[in-house]
């Protein structure tokens, strides 16, 4: 504690040093977007056309995706399921809490760059000449005395080499990563809910087709039995019809298991227990296949997808961590000042001559740490390189997902057209066989085979339609959802 201003010049010198200070370590720059201009080779470019009577889809390059992109399917039930999942799914709640914690860490780190103000009060019993403290005249000496002080203390880390600045940068980048992870979780939950709901609708359609197959088999068996009773069919024909009915009856239990699993998975996405979940009453006939599908240009995909943005934020955080480790290799300067009142009794604390103050500047420079500081920096550099590789892998995986989905959509369009043609041909063949059999010119086995091919064509057509809906939803997810 001093009564003169001999330390003010030192404080001014140290403060001025901060003006010329800079943050050491790498200055982060986002990686350049991929230079490729397409997701697939020109020879593999998918065509999304459809056959007669089917919805033709087209890719809309650069089109904006609305926040509620799933409404493109025009289903109130689907919209209700997605909104409930986004509101109640525990994974999203956990991601929100993680983001909140990361944001508080930014405030904490930012607070370390501001002057720190504290109030201190002390009471000390000590032995020595009290006049040395300027509290008593020299002629009065006490062998032992009490010393009371109270007052504020201010300290400030000059951060000449940017240690605190890099810490703030690192925390901000981590908060950005958590924010993008929340967006990725929301996109994943919305996408999985849409796809699960579409799967439920598709299985319901297949169950409907399977029931129609079984009903047809039952009618055919009755027909063969009547024909056998009339003496116009053989016993083997009856056994064949019964075998066909029994074989097709196995379709329903398998589809029932698939439906139950899909409904239970949808319940979990909704944040509900399967026993308390009411499955959606939805089928494909209640949905609209989106005619226009958004397609981000490749250079824009890295900004559209939250998983890529999260990987970039992680890379930024690792780059800032290299700056933190580098700054630890340099000296650290701390300025402090205190203003207090002191007295030998509590009553004299606020006397006219009780004020004391102090200004100090301290510097700490690393000299020998057994190579630990250098190793920490090399470790930080290795983690930054790892984050860069993970970023590149995330980008490659995203482009691969888009390419796969585009090809799948092209195959879906061709498959649904082929299944529709097969269904039309099977229906025409069945009508001919029925007319021929009714006229006594055809045999029962040919009729049964025509009936089976028709019903199998119905089932194949239902599956092809369902897959087209699912892959359309996959493309919305692959594009990163709303932009």
């Amino acid at each position: 504690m001093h009564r003169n201003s001999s330390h003010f010049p030192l404080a001014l010198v140290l403060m001025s040093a901060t003006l010329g200070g800079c943050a050491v370590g790498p200055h982060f720059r986002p990686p350049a977007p991929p230079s490729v201009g397409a997701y697939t080779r020109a020879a593999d470019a998918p065509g999304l056309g459809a056959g007669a009577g089917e919805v033709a889809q087209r890719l809309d390059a650069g089109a904006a995706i609305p926040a509620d992109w799933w409404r493109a399917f025009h289903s109130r039930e689907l919209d209700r399921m997605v909104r409930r999942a986004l509101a109640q799914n525990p994974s999203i709640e956990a991601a929100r809490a993680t983001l909140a914690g990361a944001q508080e860490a930014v405030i904490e780190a930012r607070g370390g760059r501001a002057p720190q103000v504290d109030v201190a009060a002390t009471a000390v019993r000590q032995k020595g000449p009290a006049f040395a403290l300027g509290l008593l005249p020299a002629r009065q000496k006490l062998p032992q005395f009490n010393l009371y002080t109270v007052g504020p203390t201010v300290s400030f880390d000059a951060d000449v080499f940017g240690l605190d600045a890099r810490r703030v940068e690192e925390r901000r980048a981590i908060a950005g990563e958590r924010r993008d992870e929340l967006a990725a979780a929301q996109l994943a939950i919305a996408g999985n809910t849409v796809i699960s709901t579409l799967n439920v609708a598709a299985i319901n359609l297949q169950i409907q087709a399977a029931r129609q197959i079984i009903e047809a088999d039952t009618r055919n068996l009755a027909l063969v039995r009547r024909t056998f009773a009339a003496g116009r069919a053989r016993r083997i024909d009856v056994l064949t019809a019964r075998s066909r009915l029994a074989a097709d009856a196995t379709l329903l239990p398998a589809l029932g298991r698939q439906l139950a699993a899909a409904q239970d998975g949808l319940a979990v996405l909704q944040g509900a227990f399967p026993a308390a979940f009411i499955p959606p009453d939805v089928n494909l006939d209640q949905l609209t296949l989106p005619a226009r599908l958004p397609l981000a240009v490749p250079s824009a995909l890295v900004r559209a997808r939250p998983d890529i943005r999260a990987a970039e934020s992680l890379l930024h955080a690792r780059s800032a961590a290299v700056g933190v480790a580098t700054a630890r290799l340099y000296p650290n300067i701390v300025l402090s000042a205190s203003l207090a009142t002191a007295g030998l009794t509590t009553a004299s604390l606020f006397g006219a001559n009780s004020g004391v103050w102090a200004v100090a500047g301290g510097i700490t420079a690393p000299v020998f740490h057994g190579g630990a500081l250098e190793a920490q920096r090399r470790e930080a550099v290795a983690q930054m390189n790892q984050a860069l590789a993970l970023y590149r892998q995330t980008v490659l995986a995203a482009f691969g997902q888009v390419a796969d989905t585009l090809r799948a959509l092209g195959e879906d369009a061709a498959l649904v057209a082929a299944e529709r043609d097969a269904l039309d041909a099977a229906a025409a063949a069945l009508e001919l066989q029925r007319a021929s059999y009714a006229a006594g010119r055809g045999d029962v086995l040919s009729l049964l085979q025509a009936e089976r091919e028709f019903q199998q064509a119905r089932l194949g057509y239902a599956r092809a339609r369902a897959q087209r809906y699912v892959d359309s939803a996959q493309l919305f997810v692959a594009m990163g959802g709303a932009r």
Side-chain angles (χ1 to χ4, degrees):
M1 292 178 291
H2 304 275
R3 292 177 176 270
N4 58 57
S5 59
S6 59
H7 283 238
F8 275 114
L10 174 60
L12 293 175
V13 170
L14 294 177
M15 288 292 289
S16 65
T18 65
L19 298 178
C22 62
V24 296
H27 297 290
F28 179 74
R29 290 183 177 83
S35 58
V36 296
Y39 295 103
T40 59
R41 294 183 296 271
D44 300 331
L48 303 187
E54 300 297 328
V55 176
Q57 293 180 300
R58 68 180 180 88
L59 298 174
D60 197 350
I65 303 179
D68 49 358
W69 54 267
W70 54 88
R71 298 190 67 181
F73 294 93
H74 298 285
S75 170
R76 291 184 178 180
E77 186 70 10
L78 179 61
D79 181 59
R80 183 181 70 84
M81 300 298 291
V82 174
R83 292 187 184 279
R84 181 178 174 183
L86 292 176
Q88 300 184 12
N89 187 274
S91 298
I92 294 179
E93 294 178 8
R96 284 198 182 100
T98 303
L99 172 59
Q103 290 171 335
E104 295 300 327
V106 174
I107 297 175
E108 177 188 3
R110 201 163 51 216
R113 301 194 66 190
Q116 309 296 301
V117 181
D118 300 288
V119 176
T122 62
V124 180
R125 178 71 173 175
Q126 66 184 63
K127 182 178 181 180
F131 70 85
L133 299 172
L135 300 175
L136 290 175
R139 64 179 179 275
Q140 298 182 16
K141 298 180 181 179
L142 296 176
Q144 291 184 355
F145 59 92
N146 297 326
L147 178 62
Y148 302 92
T149 62
V150 60
T153 300
V154 180
S155 61
F156 178 70
D157 190 336
D159 199 27
V160 176
F161 298 101
L163 176 62
D164 293 334
R166 291 301 190 196
R167 281 174 177 161
V168 173
E169 180 185 356
E170 180 183 15
R171 296 297 185 274
R172 283 177 174 166
I174 292 174
E177 179 189 9
R178 300 295 180 261
R179 181 173 56 253
D180 292 327
E181 286 177 346
L182 171 59
Q186 291 171 328
L187 176 62
I189 294 301
N192 289 338
T193 301
V194 170
I195 292 171
S196 295
T197 304
L198 291 174
N199 283 334
V200 169
I203 295 172
N204 281 331
L205 187 61
Q206 293 177 54
I207 289 176
Q208 180 182 356
R211 286 172 177 166
Q212 291 172 344
I213 290 175
I214 294 173
E215 290 173 359
D217 288 344
T218 302
R219 291 193 302 269
N220 288 338
L221 177 59
L223 174 63
V224 172
R225 281 173 172 168
R226 289 195 302 270
T227 306
F228 175 73
R232 291 186 289 114
R234 300 173 298 170
R235 179 70 178 172
I236 188 63
D237 297 338
V238 177
L239 295 176
T240 300
R242 286 180 57 189
S243 176
R244 183 66 50 80
L245 174 60
D248 289 339
T250 63
L251 293 173
L252 283 179
L255 290 172
R257 287 193 299 271
Q258 294 179 27
L259 180 62
Q263 291 174 339
D264 292 344
L266 190 56
V268 173
L269 288 170
Q270 301 283 298
F273 292 99
F277 178 68
I278 300 177
D281 182 15
V282 61
N283 58 64
L284 291 185
D285 294 332
Q286 298 171 335
L287 300 169
T288 300
L289 185 70
R292 297 174 58 187
L293 296 175
L295 183 67
V297 295
S299 60
L301 186 68
V302 295
R303 306 310 311 161
R305 287 188 51 130
D307 57 339
I308 297 179
R309 297 197 306 267
E312 180 184 312
S313 295
L314 175 61
L315 177 59
H316 188 178
R318 294 291 183 262
S319 172
V322 173
V324 171
T326 304
R328 289 197 178 105
L329 299 172
Y330 291 85
N332 186 45
I333 299 173
V334 177
L335 309 177
S336 64
S338 63
L339 178 64
T341 61
L344 297 179
T345 64
T346 55
S348 64
L349 275 176
F350 301 100
N353 297 319
S354 61
V356 293
W357 59 264
V359 176
I363 181 170
T364 302
V367 177
F368 178 75
H369 289 260
L373 297 180
E374 292 81 359
Q376 288 175 0
R377 186 182 186 281
R378 291 193 297 270
E379 179 185 11
V381 171
Q383 291 177 346
M384 181 181 68
N385 292 334
Q386 178 196 32
L388 178 59
L390 291 175
Y391 172 83
R392 295 174 55 198
Q393 180 59 38
T394 303
V395 172
L396 289 173
F399 274 66
Q401 181 185 10
V402 174
D404 290 345
T405 305
L406 289 175
R407 290 193 178 98
L409 283 168
E411 296 297 332
D412 291 342
L415 179 61
V416 76
E419 291 287 359
R420 179 62 180 266
D421 291 342
L423 178 60
D424 293 341
L430 178 59
E431 288 299 321
L432 290 176
Q433 283 293 339
R434 283 175 176 170
S436 178
Y437 188 79
R441 295 191 299 272
D443 62 277
V444 68
L445 291 181
S446 298
L447 176 62
L448 291 176
Q449 182 63 29
E451 184 77 39
R452 180 174 181 78
E453 289 178 355
F454 172 71
Q455 298 299 347
Q456 289 294 335
R458 287 172 62 100
L459 192 59
Y461 178 60
R463 289 170 177 165
R465 286 183 61 205
Q467 191 60 47
R468 201 175 182 206
Y469 278 82
V470 170
D471 288 334
S472 296
Q474 289 279 22
L475 184 61
F476 280 100
V477 175
M479 289 293 103
R483 294 194 294 274

